[in-house]
Amino acid sequence: MAKPTKPTIKQGTIAVESEKTGFLKKLFMLFFIPVLFGLAVILIIAQLTNINVFESVTKLTNGESEENVDSVEEEQLVFEEKVVTLQAQIQEKEAQIVQLQTQLDSSASEKEGLLIEQERLLEEIELLKRQKDDTKRDFDEIVATFEQMSSKSAAPVLNNMSDAEALRILTNLKPDILAGILEKMTPEQAAKYTELMSKQ
């Protein structure tokens, strides 16, 4: 009984081997032979038309690589141009910043100068106000003195003063005191001061 099992194993391996060889034969017959036949026909046609297939393939592959190199170089040139443009814009903006900073500094120093001038003018105004107050107080005292003087004594003093000073004092006197002083003046002087007072 051991004999019948041996031939079945051999027959199984032979069957598997023949199946493998059959598949390879089919693949070879259906794919590789037609492809090789097609390539042979293309090479024969190329030979008849004086086309060197290998040269064309080499040119085609080199042309693509040259085109790639050219496109890369063009992209690099465009990139470099953009970089140069951006650097120019940066320098322009930096120049504008420096100019604005200079203007800001000059306006700050100008403002400081104006503040100093304003303080000086305010002090001068204050001084003038004090002087005006002092002058007014002094003038009020002079007017009060003339009001206390007799008309006979006040008239010659006013005649010896400038017209502007005399007129200023006369316009600030009380009407009854003014009338008494004008009575003690000569008619020409009284007329002159009366005319000057009427023009004010």
Side-chain angles (χ1 to χ4, degrees), residues 158-174:
L158 288 169
N159 283 332
N160 289 326
M161 296 175 102
S162 68
D163 289 343
E165 289 289 324
L167 185 63
R168 187 172 170 214
I169 293 170
L170 288 171
T171 54
N172 285 292
L173 291 173
K174 294 177 184 172

Side-chain angles (χ1 to χ4, degrees), residues 21 41 55 93 113:
T21 350
V41 169
E55 231 177 73
K93 296 295 181 189

Side-chain angles (χ1 to χ4, degrees), residues 1-79:
M1 289 208 159
K3 284 184 180 178
T5 57
K6 242 181 182 179
T8 55
I9 292 173
K10 283 185 182 178
Q11 286 175 357
T13 13
I14 291 171
V16 170
E17 284 178 12
S18 65
E19 279 181 22
K20 283 184 183 176
T21 350
F23 174 74
L24 287 175
K25 279 183 185 178
K26 284 181 186 177
L27 180 67
F28 189 72
M29 292 296 234
L30 292 175
F31 180 72
F32 289 117
I33 289 178
V35 168
L36 288 174
F37 181 73
L39 284 173
V41 169
I42 291 172
L43 287 174
I44 290 170
I45 292 172
Q47 188 65 32
L48 290 175
T49 57
N50 281 335
I51 296 174
N52 190 345
V53 175
F54 300 109
E55 231 177 73
S56 298
V57 168
T58 308
K59 282 183 183 177
L60 194 64
T61 55
N62 284 343
E64 287 177 3
S65 65
E66 285 177 10
E67 287 176 10
N68 288 341
V69 169
D70 288 345
S71 66
V72 167
E73 286 177 357
E74 287 177 12
E75 288 177 8
Q76 189 173 2
L77 286 174
V78 169
F79 178 74

Side-chain angles (χ1 to χ4, degrees), residues 112-161:
E112 187 177 329
L114 289 173
L115 287 173
I116 292 170
E117 180 67 16
Q118 181 183 11
E119 287 178 18
R120 188 189 66 77
L121 289 173
L122 287 173
E123 287 174 4
E124 193 172 326
I125 289 170
E126 193 62 36
L127 178 67
L128 289 173
K129 280 182 182 178
R130 282 195 304 263
Q131 287 176 349
K132 182 182 175 186
D133 291 343
D134 291 345
T135 304
K136 179 151 178 44
R137 189 172 42 249
D138 291 346
F139 181 74
D140 289 343
E141 289 175 5
I142 291 171
V143 169
T145 303
F146 270 94
E147 287 177 346
Q148 290 175 0
M149 289 173 68
S150 66
S151 300
K152 188 176 180 182
S153 303
V157 174
L158 288 169
N159 283 332
N160 289 326
M161 296 175 102

